[in-house]
């Protein structure tokens, strides 16, 4: 009998492994997962694997189309811009400016949002009501508009853009986590844990946070997608990373006047922004579905 119980316990997967099994069968989710891993890899090694330097110019090779075009050159796979710089090298180096910056901003926002949201969620009374009204007021302002206002005062730069996007994402992050924690406090298993003498810390880490994992995963990937678009939008408006930066939004704004004579210089940065946001959303949807099915 003892050996049967041991065999059963050994064969029963842990909740995390069970969620991973569900996640692993979702093709769209795995596409987003490996795609995001690829973007992280490019953030770390993009400039190293780039065939040329970020601002290296090749005289006589300006505005070459991609290599598969009739007038392209195999030395420049995605063509060159108006200054003779390799577009592929600039896109690879720009991954850290757009996706890497968005990832850092989102990690900072989710950490601060968890701390403040949990503290607000487990409190009640006038403090909770005041915070609730402040968050509702801030949420009335679109994140991009709030980021534009902050950058307008702080000055255009990538660092100020990251701070502005972080500050714009924080209210929604706090509000979402606050609502998730506050809703769980009225559940029967929370009340039973309190009656059983469980401490607030135990309830938080072992009863509340595991049950809002789907909310955290969805909120993180949603915020990451918004951060990518906001950083690129501010760069496009010349309020973010400044030239000759290879940030994708700044590249898009700089090459906009070349749309009709060299459309690849505009389409490729825009495609990089679109694919990055799409991969993040695929990952977030897959995580949410896997966690919900695992809990059920």
């Amino acid at each position: 009998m003892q050996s049967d119980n041991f065999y059963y316990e050994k064969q029963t997967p842990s909740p995390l492994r069970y969620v991973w099994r569900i996640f692993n069968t979702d093709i769209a989710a795995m596409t987003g997962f490996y795609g995001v891993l690829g973007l992280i890899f490019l953030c770390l090694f993009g400039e190293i694997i780039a065939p040329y330097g970020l601002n290296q110019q090749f005289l006589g090779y300006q505005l070459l189309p991609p290599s598969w075009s009739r007038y392209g050159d195999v030395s420049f796979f995605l063509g060159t811009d108006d200054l003779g710089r390799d577009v592929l090298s600039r896109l690879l180096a720009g991954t850290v400016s757009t996706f890497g910056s968005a990832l850092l901003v989102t990690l900072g926002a989710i950490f601060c949002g968890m701390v403040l949201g949990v503290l607000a969620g487990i409190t009640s009374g006038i403090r909770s009501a005041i915070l609730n009204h402040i968050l509702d007021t801030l949420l009335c302002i679109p994140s991009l508009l709030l980021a534009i206002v902050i950058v307008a005062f702080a000055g255009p730069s990538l660092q100020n853009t990251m701070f502005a996007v972080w500050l714009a994402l924080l209210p929604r992050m706090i509000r979402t986590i606050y609502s998730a924690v506050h809703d769980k406090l009225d559940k029967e298993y929370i009340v039973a844990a309190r009656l059983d003498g469980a401490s607030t810390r135990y309830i938080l880490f072992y009863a509340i946070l595991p049950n809002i994992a789907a909310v955290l995963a969805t909120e993180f990937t949603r915020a990451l997608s918004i951060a990518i678009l906001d950083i690129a939008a501010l760069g496009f408006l010349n309020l973010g990373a400044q030239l000759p930066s290879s940030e994708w939004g700044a590249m898009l704004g700089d090459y906009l006047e070349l749309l009709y004579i060299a459309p690849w210089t505009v389409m490729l940065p825009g495609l990089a922004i679109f694919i990055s946001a799409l991969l993040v959303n695929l990952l977030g949807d897959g995580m949410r579905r896997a966690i919900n099915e695992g809990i059920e």
Side-chain angles (χ1 to χ4, degrees):
M1 187 68 179
Q2 185 177 358
S3 59
D4 292 341
N5 291 335
F6 176 78
Y7 177 79
Y8 175 77
E9 292 174 0
K10 195 172 182 179
Q11 293 298 315
T12 303
S14 64
L16 184 60
R17 184 175 298 179
Y18 182 63
V19 169
W20 169 252
R21 286 182 181 178
I22 299 174
F23 183 85
N24 198 27
T25 58
D26 192 333
I27 298 177
M30 293 303 296
T31 301
F33 176 72
Y34 287 117
V36 171
L37 286 182
L39 289 172
I40 295 174
F41 175 82
L42 292 180
C43 287
L44 298 175
F45 306 104
E47 292 191 31
I48 298 176
I49 65 176
Y52 304 104
L54 174 61
N55 294 308
Q56 186 176 356
Q57 300 180 15
F58 297 89
L59 298 179
Y61 291 92
Q62 290 88 348
L63 297 180
L64 277 180
S67 61
W68 59 82
S69 175
R70 178 182 178 182
Y71 301 102
D73 192 310
V74 293
S75 300
F76 306 99
F77 182 66
L78 295 182
T80 59
D81 61 7
D82 54 336
L83 298 179
R85 297 174 296 187
D86 182 49
V87 175
L88 175 61
S89 299
R90 290 181 60 78
L91 286 174
L92 291 175
T95 308
V96 67
S97 299
T98 305
F99 181 81
S101 299
L103 184 60
L104 288 177
V105 165
T106 308
L107 288 173
I110 194 73
F111 176 77
C112 296
M114 282 188 63
V115 173
L116 298 176
V118 167
L119 290 177
I122 61 178
T123 59
S124 59
I126 189 170
R127 287 182 299 177
S128 180
I130 292 175
L131 179 62
N132 201 16
H133 290 305
I134 293 175
L135 292 175
D136 287 340
T137 303
L138 292 175
L139 288 175
C140 295
I141 307 174
S143 62
L144 181 58
L145 178 59
L146 184 58
I148 290 175
V149 172
I150 296 171
V151 172
F153 281 100
S157 69
L158 182 59
Q159 292 76 16
N160 290 339
T161 295
M162 293 173 64
F163 174 74
V165 174
W166 172 79
L167 205 59
L169 291 177
L170 195 56
R172 185 174 298 275
M173 198 79 70
I174 297 174
R175 176 65 175 177
T176 302
I177 297 174
Y178 162 79
S179 301
V181 172
H182 196 71
D183 291 341
K184 295 297 180 183
L185 291 176
D186 297 330
K187 299 296 182 180
E188 294 181 356
Y189 59 88
I190 301 296
V191 177
R194 283 180 172 174
L195 294 176
D196 198 37
S199 63
T200 304
R201 181 179 178 181
Y202 179 88
I203 293 174
L204 177 63
F205 285 99
Y206 294 97
I208 294 180
L209 291 181
N211 286 286
I212 64 171
V215 176
L216 294 176
T218 303
E219 187 63 21
F220 175 78
T221 52
R222 185 201 63 82
L224 179 56
S225 177
I226 292 175
I228 293 172
L229 297 177
D230 285 356
I231 289 175
L234 290 171
F236 176 80
L237 297 173
N238 201 28
L239 294 173
Q242 300 296 295
L243 298 174
S245 171
S246 60
E247 194 275 317
W248 294 339
M251 289 177 61
L252 191 62
D254 184 40
Y255 297 150
L256 191 60
E257 60 185 14
L258 303 175
L259 177 61
Y260 295 106
I261 60 175
W264 62 90
T265 59
V266 179
M267 295 173 59
L268 292 174
L271 189 62
I273 297 170
F274 169 76
I275 291 177
S276 299
L278 177 63
L279 290 173
V280 170
N281 286 325
L282 289 176
L283 175 63
D285 291 341
M287 290 173 63
R288 177 183 53 80
R289 288 193 298 268
I291 293 173
N292 287 335
E293 291 183 23
I295 293 175
E296 292 175 359

